[in-house]
Amino acid sequence: MDRDPKQFQQDSGEPSEETLTAARTIDEQASAIRERARLLGLPWHEKPVEADPNAISLVEPETAVRLRVVPITLRDGHLVLAMFDPLDTESADEISILCGLEVEREGMEPGIFAELLRLHYGTTASKMADLLGGQTDESGDDLEHNLDAFETDDIHRMAEEPTLVNLVNLVLIEAIQSRTSDVHVEPFEQELTVRYRIDGVLHPQPPPPKHLQPALIGRIKIMAGMNIAERYIPQDGKISLRYEGRKIDIRVSTVPTLYGESVVMRILDKSQLRLDFDTLGLRPSLQASMDRLLAKPHGILLNTGPTGSGKTTTLYASLMRIFDPSKKIITIEDPVEYELAGINQIPVNAKRGLTFASGLRSILRQDPDIVLVGEIRDGETADIAVASALTGHLILSTLHTNDAISSIGRLVDMGAESYLVASVLEGLLAQRLGRRICEHCRIRVPMPDDLAARIKPDELAEFEGHAWHGTGCDKCSGTGFRGRVGFFELLPIHSELRRTIASGASASALTDVLPEGFKTMREDGMDRAREGVTTIHEVLRSTQDAEEVFE
C-alpha cells in the first residue's frame, strides 16, 4: 500500500516539506519583507527612531503587541506606523478603524522594532505571552494541559500562528540582546518556566501560560528542523539566523520529562567571542608562559576545569595565537562550537562510529602538526594522545578535574603509564570563570564582616578593609555584573616535577615540588578582586572546589 509522504516523513523522523518551509529564521523573514516593502516604495528603518508620545497614546499596548505595530508620529493628519511587517494591510486597517485616522505603513529591522515596542509599551517576551494567555482553541474551550491530547497537526497549526511566531522570535531577540548564552524552557506540572543564563548564572523570566507549551515548544522544534511528531526521545537541532548583520547559530536540545519536553537553546554568537588572552583574563606573565608552551614542537598541553569554565574558548584562543599557514592544525570536537578560519575541524559523531579515539587515529594519518582533542574521556583516547605526542605532535586537550595537579593522577587512572605521562606532558592550565563587576556602577565599600570571615587572614590584609561591589544600573540590567573573567593557574612541567611524576608519586607529593611563584586559581582570582575586576564572592564561588588539594 502506498504511504502518504507526509506521514512517512513523520514516521522516519525526517522533517516534512511543510516543516522545512516553516523553518524560516528571523532574518530570512525580515529580508523577504524588506525586499517586498522596498518594491512597493514603503519606507524601511535600519536605525532606531524616536516615537511621539501623542502617537503612542493612540494605541493600547495589547493591540500594539497583537498586531506588531508601534505608532511613531502624526503626519498631516495621518498616523505613521512602524510595523514588523508593513505589508500586513489587515493590521493597518484595524488600527485605522480603532483610531479613526488614515495610517501610513513603515517597516523596521526586527531587533530595532522589538526594542521600540519594549521601550514604549514595556513589552517583553513574557508580557507578550501574557497577552496570549486568554487565547482559546477554535471550539472556544481553554486549551487542555494534557499534552497527549494534541495531535501533530494541532501543534503545527498553533505553532504557525503569527502571534506565536512573533513570541518565539522575540524570546530569541531578547536573549541575544541580553547576552544570554543559554535559554532554558522547562515544563513542570503547573507551569512552563523560562530562564536565561547570563554571565554563567540562570535568571528566571516571568513564565508564559502553561497552555502555550505545545505550541511554543513546537515552534522552536520547527525552526530547528526537528521532528515535532516525536516527543518521547531526545532530539538535537540547529537554528541559523542573522541578527543586526551578524551570523548567530543556536544549538537546540530537547529531552522528554514527566510533563513534556525540556528545551535548551545554546546561543553561539561568534561576533561576541573574543579569542585573545587579554580578554580572557590571562595576566602578561601567564601569557608569556603559555606562549613558551605553545611553541613546543611536540608534547601535551592540558586545560582542566568543570563544564562551563571556558576551557574550549581558551584552547581556541591558543590555536589562533599560534596559527600559521605553514602548519597543519586539526581539531576533533563534540560538538564544533565555533568555526575557525584555516583550521580543519571534525565533529564527533558517535552514532556513526566517529569517537574521539577513532577520530584521533584518523587525524594522525592526515599529517598534522598540531591537534586539538576536545576532551580526553577514556583510557583509549589518553593512550593515543600520549603516543601521538611521543611521535612528534603537539596535542592540546581538556580534562574534567578540579585543579591542574589533579590532571596527572587522572591520566594515570585512565591507564596511561606514569613514565610516559612524565615524558610527554608539557603544561597544565586550570581555570574557572567569574562574573566581572559592571564598570559603570562599580564602587569600593567597607569589607562586610561576614565576607571578611570567609577569607584567609593573609588575603584579608591585602584588601585593607575594603571590597568592590556593583550597585546595579541600566548597563548591567541591575545585576552589578557584566561579562566574565577567567581565574587561572598554569603549571609548566619542570625537570624535578617530571621526575616526581615518573615515580608515581601522589598528588600531595606533587604539590611539594611546585615551582616557586606558582599561583592557584583562587590566588589569581583574589588579585582580580583587589583590582576591582570581580568580587570576592565570585572568587569564592568559582574556586571553592579547587582549593582542597592545597589545604
Side-chain angles (χ1 to χ4, degrees):
M1 180 183 294
D2 291 338
R3 299 177 65 189
D4 176 47
K6 180 178 177 181
Q7 182 62 46
F8 172 78
Q9 287 168 322
Q10 291 177 350
D11 292 344
S12 67
E14 294 295 324
S16 65
E17 182 178 351
E18 180 183 359
T19 297
L20 295 175
T21 300
R24 294 183 301 171
T25 65
I26 297 170
D27 187 69
E28 289 170 339
Q29 295 175 42
S31 295
I33 293 170
R34 185 189 307 118
E35 290 307 311
R36 292 199 301 271
R38 284 175 175 165
L39 286 173
L40 294 173
L42 298 175
W44 187 271
H45 296 280
E46 296 183 349
K47 295 181 179 180
V49 299
E50 292 187 8
D52 183 349
N54 293 325
I56 291 291
S57 66
L58 295 174
V59 178
E60 293 294 325
E62 293 81 0
T63 304
V65 170
R66 178 172 58 84
L67 299 179
R68 297 185 287 180
V69 302
V70 177
I72 53 178
T73 191
L74 289 161
R75 181 191 302 150
D76 299 329
H78 291 188
L79 181 61
V80 180
L81 296 178
M83 303 181 67
F84 184 85
D85 179 2
L87 282 73
D88 183 0
T89 55
E90 290 185 4
S91 294
D93 289 344
E94 184 172 338
I95 294 293
S96 179
I97 293 169
L98 289 172
C99 298
L101 295 169
E102 294 292 325
V103 301
E104 297 179 13
R105 296 168 285 143
E106 298 186 355
M108 186 171 285
E109 292 295 317
I112 298 172
F113 176 82
E115 179 60 20
L116 189 68
L117 194 65
R118 185 202 63 78
L119 180 64
H120 292 287
Y121 291 110
T123 302
T124 62
S126 61
K127 288 185 179 179
M128 181 178 286
D130 288 340
L131 296 175
L132 287 167
Q135 285 191 351
T136 58
D137 64 13
E138 289 177 357
S139 65
D141 298 326
D142 289 338
L143 295 174
E144 297 290 340
H145 284 201
N146 181 3
L147 302 183
D148 291 327
F150 290 98
E151 299 294 337
T152 301
D153 288 344
D154 294 330
I155 296 175
H156 259 300
R157 174 178 55 78
M158 291 186 293
E160 291 169 14
E161 287 292 327
T163 314
L164 196 285
V165 169
N166 196 40
L167 169 61
V168 175
N169 288 352
L170 191 53
V171 167
L172 295 178
I173 291 171
E174 192 173 77
I176 293 167
Q177 289 176 336
S178 62
R179 301 175 297 106
T180 297
S181 62
D182 302 85
V183 177
H184 293 245
V185 182
E186 302 162 314
F188 295 98
E189 183 176 11
Q190 300 297 330
E191 66 176 356
L192 178 68
T193 69
V194 177
R195 296 188 290 172
Y196 295 168
R197 188 178 294 280
I198 304 172
D199 295 333
V201 177
L202 284 170
H203 295 268
Q205 308 297 310
K210 174 70 174 176
H211 72 249
L212 289 182
Q213 179 178 322
L216 185 65
I217 293 176
R219 177 61 193 169
I220 293 169
K221 291 174 69 176
I222 286 173
M223 294 178 71
M226 295 177 174
N227 178 10
I228 69 167
E230 180 54 74
R231 286 172 267 170
Y232 301 103
I233 61 172
Q235 293 189 63
D236 295 299
K238 181 179 178 182
I239 300 171
S240 293
L241 56 91
R242 296 190 69 84
Y243 174 73
E244 293 186 346
R246 62 187 194 264
K247 180 183 177 183
I248 295 173
D249 291 327
I250 301 174
R251 198 167 69 232
V252 183
S253 169
T254 66
V255 295
T257 71
L258 282 175
Y259 300 106
E261 291 174 285
S262 173
V263 180
V264 174
M265 294 182 280
R266 166 67 57 88
I267 298 175
L268 303 172
D269 186 353
K270 190 173 181 179
S271 70
Q272 302 299 308
L273 185 68
R274 298 290 182 264
L275 296 179
D276 64 84
F277 285 169
D278 286 328
T279 304
L280 294 176
L282 271 82
R283 297 181 176 280
S285 59
L286 289 186
Q287 292 187 32
S289 296
M290 279 292 291
D291 286 339
R292 287 192 290 272
L293 293 172
L294 292 168
K296 300 276 186 181
H298 51 78
I300 295 178
L301 174 59
L302 289 178
N303 193 352
T304 75
T307 300
S309 59
K311 301 185 300 295
T312 301
T313 303
T314 300
L315 289 182
Y316 278 177
S318 299
L319 289 184
M320 299 311 296
R321 199 169 179 90
I322 59 175
F323 177 76
D324 184 338
S326 67
K327 295 179 180 179
K328 181 157 186 173
I329 303 176
I330 305 179
T331 78
I332 180 164
E333 308 169 57
D334 183 21
V336 174
E337 292 200 1
Y338 294 97
E339 297 176 13
L340 303 177
I343 294 176
N344 296 280
Q345 295 174 269
I346 302 170
V348 163
N349 190 336
K351 291 181 180 178
R352 302 200 172 191
L354 180 56
T355 63
F356 279 120
S358 63
L360 184 52
R361 283 199 189 93
S362 299
I363 285 173
L364 297 179
R365 294 192 287 271
Q366 290 284 309
D367 187 31
D369 297 290
I370 302 166
V371 178
L372 186 154
V373 182
E375 183 183 347
I376 296 178
R377 294 178 177 173
D378 51 50
E380 185 180 9
T381 307
D383 287 341
I384 300 170
V386 169
S388 303
L390 286 170
T391 55
H393 301 88
L394 180 62
I395 307 294
L396 279 62
S397 191
T398 71
L399 277 178
H400 287 281
T401 60
N402 287 343
D403 51 68
I405 207 76
S406 299
S407 304
I408 298 166
R410 179 62 57 84
L411 285 176
V412 173
D413 289 343
M414 286 181 177
E417 297 289 347
S418 296
Y419 73 93
L420 291 178
V421 173
S423 298
V424 301
L425 204 56
E426 294 296 340
L428 301 166
L429 178 70
Q431 69 180 81
R432 295 290 187 277
L433 289 177
R435 290 180 291 176
R436 287 181 181 268
I437 302 176
C438 175
E439 295 180 355
H440 301 278
C441 61
R442 181 181 63 177
I443 60 172
R444 198 162 180 249
V445 298
M447 176 83 71
D449 291 340
D450 59 338
L451 189 58
R454 297 180 60 191
I455 62 179
K456 301 172 184 177
D458 56 334
E459 293 173 336
L460 180 61
E462 296 182 354
F463 281 91
E464 300 178 344
H466 289 81
W468 290 94
H469 169 69
T471 60
C473 65
D474 291 341
K475 299 289 185 180
C476 61
S477 300
T479 64
F481 297 97
R482 185 174 176 83
R484 291 195 281 179
V485 62
F487 311 139
F488 299 92
E489 62 185 40
L490 178 61
L491 179 58
I493 308 301
H494 57 84
S495 56
E496 186 178 2
L497 184 55
R498 205 177 293 277
R499 286 192 297 270
T500 309
I501 295 170
S503 70
S506 64
S508 59
L510 292 172
T511 61
D512 292 336
V513 292
L514 291 174
E516 185 178 351
F518 173 78
K519 277 192 173 185
T520 66
M521 287 178 284
R522 173 163 168 159
E523 291 168 339
D524 184 47
M526 285 298 180
D527 288 344
R528 294 300 197 186
R530 280 193 298 275
E531 296 164 0
V533 175
T534 188
T535 66
I536 296 173
H537 180 270
E538 281 296 294
V539 177
L540 296 175
R541 180 183 66 85
S542 301
T543 65
Q544 184 176 9
D545 62 337
E547 285 296 298
E548 296 174 0
V549 72
F550 298 102
E551 295 294 339

